[in-house]
Amino acid sequence: MHDHSLSITIGGRLPRSALAALFAAVEADDLGFEWGDAASRGDSPEELADGIEDGEPLKLVSDSVGEAGLSELEATCRSLRLHYVVYTEADDGQPASLAWWEPAMRERACADALEEDTPAVALAVVRRAISGDDPARSIESVKQLLDGLTPIEVPPLVLVDDTGAASDPG
């Protein structure tokens, strides 16, 4: 099995009662707050909650994720309706990649990555945008394509009580 490095950024409203499920998935996929240190996530859901910064999404990393990727954590995020973006670093001739999901999506999306939060555009897509007999139309198509290359934004991860009201993260 080949290991690779990746990060996941998670956001949305997380009921405090679901924190244990999120922690179990983080633990199962062996992620931490710091590269090379899965134990940095803490030993309990409460310690994981201590790593949630006010107004920020939760970011976790691993430099030794196997081929299965983050199967537990991604499934847990979807079941809890949390937004996420997974960035996998380029390795062994493979380009960097992004996978992302948000509650309005039926399934996760994937793309090669330019940066940690910006999808790349395949050359074939650019060629389609510039093909045609009308240069002005081709230029407009390319502008629209490039305008679509915006970073994927993940909202802050907010712990809420079971009524949906925000609660103190610590």
Side-chain angles (χ1 to χ4, degrees), residues 19-24 26-27 33 38-51:
L19 189 56
L22 182 65
F23 177 77
V26 168
E27 191 172 44
F33 294 122
S40 65
R41 69 176 166 257
D43 294 322
S44 69
E46 293 74 25
E47 289 181 22
L48 180 66
D50 289 342

Short mmCIF file of all heavy atoms in Angstrom, two decimals, residues 19-24 26-27 33 38-51:
data_model
loop_
_atom_site.label_atom_id
_atom_site.label_comp_id
_atom_site.label_asym_id
_atom_site.label_seq_id
_atom_site.Cartn_x
_atom_site.Cartn_y
_atom_site.Cartn_z
N LEU A 19 -20.10 15.22 18.48
CA LEU A 19 -18.65 15.39 18.55
C LEU A 19 -17.93 14.04 18.70
O LEU A 19 -16.88 13.82 18.11
CB LEU A 19 -18.30 16.33 19.70
CG LEU A 19 -16.87 16.81 19.81
CD1 LEU A 19 -16.40 17.49 18.53
CD2 LEU A 19 -16.72 17.75 20.99
N ALA A 20 -18.51 13.12 19.45
CA ALA A 20 -17.88 11.81 19.63
C ALA A 20 -17.79 11.04 18.31
O ALA A 20 -16.79 10.38 18.03
CB ALA A 20 -18.65 10.98 20.67
N ALA A 21 -18.82 11.15 17.47
CA ALA A 21 -18.80 10.48 16.16
C ALA A 21 -17.72 11.09 15.27
O ALA A 21 -17.00 10.36 14.58
CB ALA A 21 -20.17 10.59 15.48
N LEU A 22 -17.59 12.41 15.29
CA LEU A 22 -16.54 13.06 14.50
C LEU A 22 -15.16 12.64 15.01
O LEU A 22 -14.29 12.29 14.22
CB LEU A 22 -16.69 14.58 14.55
CG LEU A 22 -15.68 15.36 13.71
CD1 LEU A 22 -15.87 15.07 12.22
CD2 LEU A 22 -15.80 16.85 13.97
N PHE A 23 -14.98 12.63 16.32
CA PHE A 23 -13.69 12.23 16.89
C PHE A 23 -13.35 10.79 16.51
O PHE A 23 -12.22 10.49 16.13
CB PHE A 23 -13.69 12.38 18.41
CG PHE A 23 -12.39 11.92 19.03
CD1 PHE A 23 -11.26 12.72 18.96
CD2 PHE A 23 -12.31 10.69 19.66
CE1 PHE A 23 -10.05 12.29 19.51
CE2 PHE A 23 -11.11 10.25 20.20
CZ PHE A 23 -9.98 11.05 20.12
N ALA A 24 -14.32 9.90 16.58
CA ALA A 24 -14.08 8.48 16.23
C ALA A 24 -13.62 8.36 14.78
O ALA A 24 -12.71 7.57 14.46
CB ALA A 24 -15.34 7.65 16.47
N VAL A 26 -12.11 10.76 12.96
CA VAL A 26 -10.77 11.36 12.88
C VAL A 26 -9.74 10.36 13.38
O VAL A 26 -8.68 10.17 12.78
CB VAL A 26 -10.72 12.68 13.70
CG1 VAL A 26 -9.29 13.17 13.89
CG2 VAL A 26 -11.57 13.75 13.04
N GLU A 27 -10.06 9.70 14.47
CA GLU A 27 -9.16 8.70 15.05
C GLU A 27 -9.00 7.50 14.12
O GLU A 27 -7.89 7.02 13.89
CB GLU A 27 -9.71 8.26 16.41
CG GLU A 27 -8.75 7.44 17.23
CD GLU A 27 -9.29 7.21 18.63
OE1 GLU A 27 -10.49 6.90 18.79
OE2 GLU A 27 -8.49 7.35 19.56
N PHE A 33 -3.69 17.54 14.22
CA PHE A 33 -3.61 18.97 13.92
C PHE A 33 -2.26 19.33 13.30
O PHE A 33 -2.13 20.36 12.67
CB PHE A 33 -3.80 19.81 15.18
CG PHE A 33 -5.18 19.71 15.77
CD1 PHE A 33 -5.36 19.27 17.07
CD2 PHE A 33 -6.29 20.07 15.04
CE1 PHE A 33 -6.63 19.19 17.63
CE2 PHE A 33 -7.56 19.98 15.58
CZ PHE A 33 -7.73 19.54 16.87
N ALA A 38 -0.29 12.40 14.60
CA ALA A 38 -1.73 12.14 14.71
C ALA A 38 -2.23 12.33 16.13
O ALA A 38 -3.38 12.71 16.35
CB ALA A 38 -2.05 10.72 14.22
N ALA A 39 -1.36 12.11 17.12
CA ALA A 39 -1.76 12.27 18.51
C ALA A 39 -2.09 13.71 18.86
O ALA A 39 -2.72 13.98 19.89
CB ALA A 39 -0.66 11.74 19.44
N SER A 40 -1.70 14.66 18.01
CA SER A 40 -1.99 16.07 18.30
C SER A 40 -3.48 16.37 18.30
O SER A 40 -3.89 17.44 18.74
CB SER A 40 -1.26 16.97 17.30
OG SER A 40 -1.74 16.78 15.98
N ARG A 41 -4.30 15.43 17.82
CA ARG A 41 -5.76 15.64 17.83
C ARG A 41 -6.32 15.51 19.24
O ARG A 41 -7.46 15.87 19.50
CB ARG A 41 -6.45 14.63 16.92
CG ARG A 41 -6.36 13.22 17.48
CD ARG A 41 -7.11 12.18 16.69
NE ARG A 41 -6.67 10.87 17.11
CZ ARG A 41 -5.84 10.09 16.45
NH1 ARG A 41 -5.36 10.46 15.29
NH2 ARG A 41 -5.49 8.92 16.94
N GLY A 42 -5.54 14.92 20.15
CA GLY A 42 -6.01 14.67 21.50
C GLY A 42 -6.51 13.24 21.65
O GLY A 42 -6.55 12.46 20.69
N ASP A 43 -6.91 12.93 22.87
CA ASP A 43 -7.36 11.57 23.19
C ASP A 43 -8.85 11.47 23.43
O ASP A 43 -9.34 10.42 23.84
CB ASP A 43 -6.63 11.07 24.45
CG ASP A 43 -5.14 10.89 24.20
OD1 ASP A 43 -4.78 10.43 23.10
OD2 ASP A 43 -4.35 11.20 25.12
N SER A 44 -9.58 12.55 23.20
CA SER A 44 -11.01 12.53 23.48
C SER A 44 -11.73 13.54 22.58
O SER A 44 -11.10 14.45 22.04
CB SER A 44 -11.26 12.90 24.95
OG SER A 44 -10.94 14.27 25.16
N PRO A 45 -13.04 13.39 22.46
CA PRO A 45 -13.80 14.39 21.70
C PRO A 45 -13.62 15.81 22.25
O PRO A 45 -13.54 16.77 21.49
CB PRO A 45 -15.25 13.92 21.85
CG PRO A 45 -15.14 12.45 22.07
CD PRO A 45 -13.88 12.27 22.88
N GLU A 46 -13.50 15.93 23.57
CA GLU A 46 -13.34 17.25 24.18
C GLU A 46 -12.01 17.88 23.78
O GLU A 46 -11.92 19.08 23.54
CB GLU A 46 -13.44 17.15 25.71
CG GLU A 46 -14.83 16.78 26.21
CD GLU A 46 -15.18 15.29 25.99
OE1 GLU A 46 -14.26 14.44 25.89
OE2 GLU A 46 -16.38 15.00 25.88
N GLU A 47 -10.95 17.05 23.69
CA GLU A 47 -9.65 17.58 23.27
C GLU A 47 -9.69 17.98 21.79
O GLU A 47 -9.05 18.96 21.40
CB GLU A 47 -8.54 16.57 23.55
CG GLU A 47 -8.25 16.43 25.03
CD GLU A 47 -7.13 15.45 25.33
OE1 GLU A 47 -6.30 15.17 24.44
OE2 GLU A 47 -7.10 14.96 26.47
N LEU A 48 -10.43 17.24 20.98
CA LEU A 48 -10.61 17.64 19.58
C LEU A 48 -11.34 18.98 19.53
O LEU A 48 -10.96 19.87 18.77
CB LEU A 48 -11.39 16.58 18.79
CG LEU A 48 -11.62 16.90 17.31
CD1 LEU A 48 -10.30 16.91 16.54
CD2 LEU A 48 -12.58 15.89 16.69
N ALA A 49 -12.36 19.14 20.36
CA ALA A 49 -13.11 20.40 20.40
C ALA A 49 -12.21 21.56 20.79
O ALA A 49 -12.39 22.68 20.29
CB ALA A 49 -14.28 20.28 21.38
N ASP A 50 -11.22 21.30 21.63
CA ASP A 50 -10.29 22.36 22.03
C ASP A 50 -9.50 22.89 20.82
O ASP A 50 -9.03 24.02 20.84
CB ASP A 50 -9.31 21.86 23.09
CG ASP A 50 -9.97 21.64 24.44
OD1 ASP A 50 -11.08 22.18 24.65
OD2 ASP A 50 -9.38 20.92 25.26
N GLY A 51 -9.36 22.08 19.77
CA GLY A 51 -8.64 22.49 18.58
C GLY A 51 -9.48 23.27 17.58
O GLY A 51 -8.97 23.72 16.56
#
